[in-house]
Amino acid sequence: MNYQERLQGVRRILAERGLQGCIVSSPENIRYLSGFSAGADGWLFVDNDVCAVLTDGRYWAQVAQQCPQAELIEYRSHADGCWAKCLAAWLKKRAWQGKLGFESCIVYDVYASMAENLADMQGLVSLGSDLDGLRLLKSAEEIDLIRKAAEIADLGWREAVKTMRVGMTENAFCAALEYHMKLAGASKTSFDTIVASGPNGAYPHAGVTERPFAEGELITVDFGAVYQGYCSDITRTVWLGTLDEKSQNILRVVRKAHDTALEAVRPGYRGFEVDKIARDIITEAGFGEAFSHSLGHGVGLAVHEAPGLRKESQTLLQAGMLVTIEPGIYLPGVGGCRIEDLTALTETGREVLSRSPYQELGQIHPAEAFD
Ligand code: ZN
Ligand code: ZN
C-alpha cells in the first residue's frame, strides 16, 4: 500500500483548512493511513513531516511489523495518564506548535481530554468526516482484497446453504455460515450476520434468533467476510419448499428492482439517480412504503461507507468506487426479502464481486441454485 501517497491526501486537507497537524481516531482511517490494524486501541498523529502511531505496549511489536514507515509514540498508561497527555508531552519535546485537526467521530470524553491536555496548541478544529473522503476511490490493490472478501462470503454461502433444512434454527444456520466463511479465510464477519426467517424478515436489520425455519417462508440472510481488513457484503433471500403467491410476488419485484439497478449503475450517475431506478420499480408495484432504506452504500475498510445510493446523495459515481445494490420489501407481521450484490465501478461500467447464484422460483432447495 502506498502510505506516503495517502498521507499526502491528509496533508492537502490540512493545508486547505489552515491546520498544521491532526489526530486520526477512526480505526479505518488509522489502518488506511498507517497499516496499523488495531486502530481502536491507538491514535495517529499526522503533520507535514511525520506520521506517528500512539499506542500501548500490547501493540508496539505489531506497529514495528505493520508500519515500519511510521514513528511509534510509546504510551504507558500507568506513567503517562491519558493518551492525550502522552501526545502532549511528545509534541512538547519536539517544540511542536500549531492548530490541530481531529475527527468528529470521537466521543465527548475523548474530546474533553484532548481539550484539557492539548490546551497549549493554537486550537483544536474539527475535520468532521473529511478524512473518510480519502477512502472513496479504491486502488486496484484494495479492490483485489475486497474481491477476495466477496469470494470468501460466496464460498461460505455455498457450503452453508447445503445444510439448510426445515427445523434448523436461524442461530444454527448463522453458525454454519460463519464457520464456512472462516474456513475459507475470513478473519471475522463484516458485521453481525442477519438470518431473518418468516415474520422476522419484516425487520431489515433483524439479528439472529432461535426460531426454526418453516416450509414455504422467506429467509433473508445478509452477511459478509473481512479479509485483510477489507469487507464484503451480500444478501440472499431463500426458502425451503414452495412459496405462496404473495411471497413470490414481492420477491419478483425486488429481483426486478435489483437487476435493473445493477445493470444500470456506472460512473456518471449521481447516488440518488441509482436509488430512484430501483425505488420507482418497487413503488410502481405498490410497495414503495415497504422499501424503508436506501438502495446501497460504499464498502471498503468499513462495511458502510461513502458513497451512499440514497434519495439525497449528490455524489457523482466514478470508476474505483464500490457500491452495494440492495433493494428490499418488508411487510410487518408477514415477512420480507432483500437481494444485495457488491459491485466495483469500472471505466466501462461495473464488475459484480458477489457471485452467489439466486434461487429461482420453483426450485425446492436453495443449494440447487449452484447446480
Ligand atoms: Zn448487507
Ligand atoms: Zn449492505
Side-chain angles (χ1 to χ4, degrees):
M1 301 290 178
N2 191 339
Y3 296 113
Q4 275 314 318
E5 198 178 300
R6 293 175 181 184
L7 289 168
Q8 287 314 322
V10 178
R11 288 164 184 149
R12 266 196 310 276
I13 291 171
L14 295 180
E16 282 162 17
R17 306 286 292 263
L19 303 172
Q20 284 70 49
C22 68
I23 297 167
V24 184
S25 43
S26 109
E28 291 83 15
N29 286 339
I30 290 175
R31 184 165 189 151
Y32 184 74
L33 296 168
S34 72
F36 181 45
S37 66
D41 288 311
W43 307 84
L44 212 64
F45 170 81
V46 181
D47 70 2
N48 278 332
D49 305 314
V50 298
C51 168
V53 182
L54 183 154
T55 189
D56 65 74
R58 292 172 298 168
Y59 301 102
W60 294 346
Q62 194 172 324
V63 170
Q65 196 254 325
Q66 293 182 325
C67 7
Q69 78 291 353
E71 198 162 318
L72 170 67
I73 306 176
E74 295 183 355
Y75 169 50
R76 293 172 177 81
S77 59
H78 56 281
D80 298 331
C82 79
W83 70 272
K85 205 169 171 182
C86 172
L87 177 64
W90 184 82
L91 291 172
K92 200 171 176 183
K93 226 188 293 171
R94 300 167 77 97
W96 197 92
Q97 272 294 318
K99 257 190 205 170
L100 263 179
F102 65 91
E103 293 191 281
S104 62
C105 60
I106 56 174
V107 299
Y108 179 75
D109 281 355
V110 168
Y111 175 76
S113 143
M114 280 178 10
E116 184 189 335
N117 290 288
L118 298 163
D120 291 347
M121 297 308 139
Q122 291 160 6
L124 285 171
V125 179
S126 171
L127 289 167
S129 55
D130 285 7
L131 299 185
D132 293 354
L134 299 170
R135 312 203 319 263
L136 195 54
L137 294 179
K138 271 73 178 173
S139 66
E141 198 177 354
E142 289 182 285
I143 294 172
D144 281 347
L145 295 175
I146 299 168
R147 188 185 290 109
K148 176 75 181 169
E151 197 183 299
I152 290 169
D154 284 337
L155 287 168
W157 175 251
R158 186 187 185 105
E159 290 309 310
V161 86
K162 291 178 191 166
T163 69
M164 191 177 253
R165 58 186 163 70
V166 170
M168 184 181 208
T169 63
E170 293 176 355
N171 262 325
F173 183 72
C174 176
L177 179 55
E178 294 184 357
Y179 170 76
H180 286 292
M181 286 199 291
K182 289 254 173 87
L183 277 186
S187 59
K188 59 178 183 176
T189 58
S190 308
F191 53 90
D192 286 346
T193 303
I194 296 167
V195 183
S197 63
N200 291 349
Y203 312 118
H205 273 193
V208 174
T209 73
E210 290 172 278
R211 186 181 185 280
F213 297 148
E215 205 168 306
E217 64 183 17
L218 292 168
I219 305 165
T220 303
V221 187
D222 191 343
F223 58 104
V226 175
Y227 182 73
Q228 292 188 22
Y230 284 85
C231 300
S232 63
D233 188 8
I234 174 173
T235 306
R236 289 293 178 263
T237 297
V238 293
W239 59 92
L240 298 159
T242 313
L243 278 183
D244 61 31
E245 200 37 59
K246 190 170 188 172
S247 299
Q248 290 193 30
N249 184 37
I250 61 168
L251 203 57
R252 271 193 211 103
V253 173
V254 166
R255 179 77 191 268
K256 187 177 171 197
H258 167 275
D259 292 359
T260 309
L262 191 63
E263 277 164 32
V265 69
R266 65 179 64 243
Y269 272 114
R270 293 199 183 269
F272 78 91
E273 292 173 312
V274 189
D275 179 277
K276 189 173 184 311
I277 291 169
R279 199 166 299 280
D280 283 352
I281 290 169
I282 293 177
T283 303
E284 274 160 31
F287 295 105
E289 287 295 310
F291 177 19
S292 51
H293 54 77
S294 58
L295 179 65
H297 54 87
V299 174
L301 286 169
V303 72
H304 291 130
E305 56 181 53
L309 301 183
R310 55 175 183 268
K311 275 181 187 166
E312 64 279 15
S313 170
Q314 292 291 332
T315 307
L316 185 67
L317 300 183
Q318 298 171 53
M321 291 182 178
L322 270 90
V323 288
T324 65
I325 299 288
E326 51 178 307
I329 291 177
Y330 311 94
L331 305 172
V334 180
C337 62
R338 173 166 69 256
I339 301 174
E340 173 179 27
D341 277 304
L342 174 59
T343 178
L345 302 183
T346 62
E347 297 296 342
T348 52
R350 78 213 61 80
E351 177 195 348
V352 182
L353 303 181
S354 40
R355 316 285 299 190
S356 291
Y358 312 108
Q359 185 180 6
E360 296 296 338
L361 288 169
Q363 277 189 330
I364 54 163
H365 194 278
E368 291 178 24
F370 282 95
D371 293 344

